[in-house]
């Protein structure tokens, strides 16, 4: 098959912020964009129809989870992840690096890879750059992330340096493994491997990582990992600016595992194009809703007879039809529809937030809009969950 | 406000079976029809959009559950159940008789009413004909069922006679209470009170109950209670024929709490127009799917790589998009979407089954069709859940 270009076209920019369109084999992703997380091949509580209706374009799935259950070989046998989960739009798979280091127990890292126990059945598994490329190839997502060595957010310099340098060596192995698989076992799929910039909160390590990655090959986009993992917010913003200064402007940047509404706006201000996070669905299942005025905990008694929608400015399917009083009742009674409606609302909130940010960048009014938006969002901490 | 007629127009009949249309203040119900059960004001795991899309017309909610949580007074304050749950179509509320006798503990029945403990918090509550009418009036459904004395399916003659006669006395009190509420506290709602024919599996009691009910007033429809509560299937069919012989043909008959696909077809054969049951959603959440060839338990290993839809003849949203392999994965991984898809499929299956039965009655081919349908449905017991 012919190679696919994964072009990224920047339509407008304002200071560090960019409005672009990223072409994938399964369609375009208009950036900045929030990618809903479908860890196990399903965005929790939602149906693909709902994601399409809210304008979600690219979604994320997870190699670690799908390898353990139902197995990447089965998914390949069934035609790949797009076919398996009934999603015809773009998909990105995370490599499982983060999960190996956060969910699994008894992990042992060596230069070749990681031994760990499955969080499901305790079985001993081994991930290497090569095995993860085989898994992500079996899944068949449009964008596949390299296997990386993930460390806690406040790790010291030496730990962060070791992990970052190892991640860069693993990136080279990922690239070679993918090329070998493509020649030995051709598939009718175009995939783009994204490197992941690591380096903790240490500017020098981040600069070194970007240099090594950029010098090491031609990439269609870049992941920024190891942020929003326990470090202070100012540290995250500072590192984003360092990385933004160093990365080529011509490719999309994906800030991994981030985040909350305010994080997305702060990220776009610092040149980020793609985001993902389980927060909207996880918080939704716990009863928290994003609104333009901050978070609402729908289980609180004050919403018992509240006939307003979750967010009066929202046009999602939940806000168009249901009151806070009803959704509160669903949560009190532990009804699945409650989980559905808040998950839907929260993902819609982030997808729409990025669409608005994009429009503002194209109109050259992002700086003022984002300042006002953040001020309003932070102005009512008393209603936070 | 002017009274509403709740007319029932029979468009066609074939032997005992009838195809009709039942007019309610919130729209028409084409019969025979399956009513999805929204006990707590939500059909479990489903969204009203999905019910509309599958052609569901009338849905059911429960006075006992809604009285306990969130409270019928709150629902009235919020504009009634239609407004509260975002459903603009017809609604029927069950009176809670069945729940008082099946869920609550420590119940004491006297001629005036029932004392019981809430299954939620153990609080002592009392239901009488009068209090239940107030509750159902607050909820504001189109059709409200009388408060009745429900007994186990195999109860002896004397127990069944006492309960049946008490239910008839309670019916008279329900009617008077409703008239009094309408004059003292007028609401902009037309509601129709349905009596419930009780009498266990004793033909003589059933005949006596129908006579007393029909002689006692003018009714827009009739509930048939106390079936599918533990008695043998032939007993249920026999009693249905006895009741069908006695009830006026000009009004809809609602067989309460029934049921499974085969029960619906057997009921239509015996003159029943309306059905409700939690089976499609409850079984759906447990992994069982109705198909034209019997039940499928989607969790079984044999569906691991099965790329067929749940039912190859089904046009529901789940069958149009997803494979058995994917839905099995969702169940194995305990994902909410699995519960959603099987609940959706099963409710759609029953709604569509009744639509097909209606078309067959109108075409005069119901007898042959139902015979073939039942033979096929029962022909593959080995794939049952």
């Amino acid at each position: 098959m012919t190679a696919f270009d994964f072009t990224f076209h920047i339509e407008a920019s304002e200071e560090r912020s960019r409005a672009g369109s990223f072409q994938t084999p399964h369609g375009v992703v208009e950036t900045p964009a929030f990618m809903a997380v479908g860890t196990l091949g399903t965005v929790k509580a939602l149906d693909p129809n709902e994601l399409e209706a809210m304008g979600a374009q690219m979604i994320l799935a997870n190699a670690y989870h799908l390898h353990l259950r139902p197995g990447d070989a089965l998914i390949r046998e069934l035609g790949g992840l797009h076919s398996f989960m009934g999603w015809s739009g773009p998909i990105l798979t995370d490599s499982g690096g983060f999960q190996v280091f956060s969910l699994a127990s008894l992990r042992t890292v060596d230069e070749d890879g990681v031994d760990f126990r499955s969080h499901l059945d305790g079985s001993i598994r081994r991930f290497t750059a090569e095995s993860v490329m085989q898994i992500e190839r079996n899944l068949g997502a449009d964008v596949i992330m390299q296997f990386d060595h993930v460390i806690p957010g406040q790790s010291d310099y030496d730990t962060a340096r070791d992990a970052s340098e190892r991640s860069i060596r693993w990136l080279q192995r990922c690239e070679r493994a993918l090329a070998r698989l493509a020649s030995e076992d051709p598939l009718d799929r175009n995939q783009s491997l994204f490197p992941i910039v690591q380096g903790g909160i240490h500017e020098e390590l981040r600069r070194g990582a970007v240099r090594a990655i950029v010098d090491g090959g031609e990439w269609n986009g870049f992941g920024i990992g190891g942020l929003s993992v326990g470090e202070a917010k100012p540290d995250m913003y500072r590192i984003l600016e360092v990385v933004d200064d160093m990365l080529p402007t011509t490719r999309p940047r994906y800030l991994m595992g981030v985040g909350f509404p305010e994080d997305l706006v702060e990220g776009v201000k610092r040149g980020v194009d793609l985001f993902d996070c389980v927060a909207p669905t996880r918080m939704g299942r716990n009863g928290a809703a994003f609104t333009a005025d901050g978070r609402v905990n729908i289980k609180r008694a004050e919403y018992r007879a509240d006939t307003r929608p979750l967010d009066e400015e929202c046009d999602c399917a939940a806000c168009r039809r249901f009151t806070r009083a009803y959704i509160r009742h669903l949560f009190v009674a532990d009804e699945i529809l409650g989980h559905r409606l808040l998950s839907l609302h929260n993902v819609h909130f982030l997808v729409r937030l990025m669409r608005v940010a994009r429009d503002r960048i194209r109109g050259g009014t992002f700086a003022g809009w984002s300042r006002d938006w953040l001020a309003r969002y932070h102005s009512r901490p008393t209603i936070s969950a």
Side-chain angles (χ1 to χ4, degrees), chain A residues 20-77:
Chain A
S21 49
F22 178 50
Q23 204 71 47
T24 80
H26 287 84
V28 72
V29 188
E30 294 173 321
T31 62
F34 176 76
M35 301 182 285
V37 179
T39 304
L40 275 153
T42 163
V43 177
K44 286 192 194 299
L46 301 185
D47 181 288
N49 288 315
E50 291 162 331
L51 294 166
E52 288 163 0
M54 69 174 70
Q57 293 173 330
M58 189 169 211
I59 63 173
L60 188 139
N62 191 277
Y64 168 89
H65 288 279
L66 291 169
H67 169 68
L68 294 181
R69 195 168 59 181
D72 48 283
L74 176 65
I75 290 177
R76 175 173 174 166
E77 177 189 337

Side-chain angles (χ1 to χ4, degrees), chain A residues 310 314-321 341 344-346 348-349:
Chain A
L310 291 170
C314 180
D315 60 349
C316 83
C319 288
R320 285 200 312 266
R321 188 158 195 164
L341 295 177
L344 177 80
H345 168 80
N346 284 347
H348 180 277
F349 188 90

Side-chain angles (χ1 to χ4, degrees), chain A residues 114-276:
Chain A
V114 187
D115 287 310
F116 60 95
R117 274 196 199 279
S118 158
H119 75 289
L120 289 179
D121 61 7
S123 60
I124 300 286
R125 309 274 181 149
R126 183 171 180 76
F127 271 7
T128 64
E130 292 74 19
S131 72
V132 168
M133 285 302 99
Q134 178 69 66
I135 292 169
E136 293 199 87
R137 192 170 161 76
N138 285 344
L139 297 174
D142 301 272
V143 172
I144 64 179
M145 303 307 295
Q146 74 155 101
F147 187 55
D148 59 343
H149 184 171
V150 178
I151 55 172
Q154 299 104 325
S155 296
D156 64 32
Y157 186 89
D158 288 346
T159 307
R161 188 188 57 201
D162 282 355
S164 176
E165 291 178 357
R166 181 169 296 110
S167 293
I168 290 164
R169 292 191 295 273
W170 286 358
L171 169 64
Q172 293 157 353
R173 284 169 49 194
C174 284
E175 195 184 15
R176 285 196 299 270
L178 202 59
R180 194 184 62 244
L181 287 169
S183 69
E184 290 173 2
D185 174 24
L187 283 176
D188 185 22
R189 278 171 212 160
N190 275 296
Q191 297 183 291
S192 183
L193 173 67
F194 274 24
I196 301 175
V197 177
Q198 292 288 1
I201 55 173
H202 310 282
E203 299 180 16
E204 188 189 324
L205 293 181
R206 291 282 179 177
R207 287 199 191 91
V210 174
R211 263 193 302 268
I213 289 168
V214 170
D215 290 348
E218 276 291 319
W219 312 105
N220 295 314
F222 299 89
I224 305 170
L227 289 175
S228 203
V229 289
E231 80 286 358
K233 293 253 175 176
D235 284 332
M236 176 165 92
Y237 302 152
R238 178 173 53 83
I239 293 298
L240 283 180
E241 290 173 9
V242 166
V243 171
D244 176 53
D245 287 338
M246 300 277 300
L247 281 175
T249 55
T250 52
R251 297 295 184 179
R253 295 88 171 268
Y254 157 36
L255 177 53
M256 303 178 72
V258 175
F260 293 96
E262 63 274 30
D263 297 332
L264 267 60
V265 175
E266 298 283 5
V268 171
K269 278 172 67 176
R270 292 167 176 84
V272 176
D273 306 294
L274 295 167
F275 303 86
D276 81 286

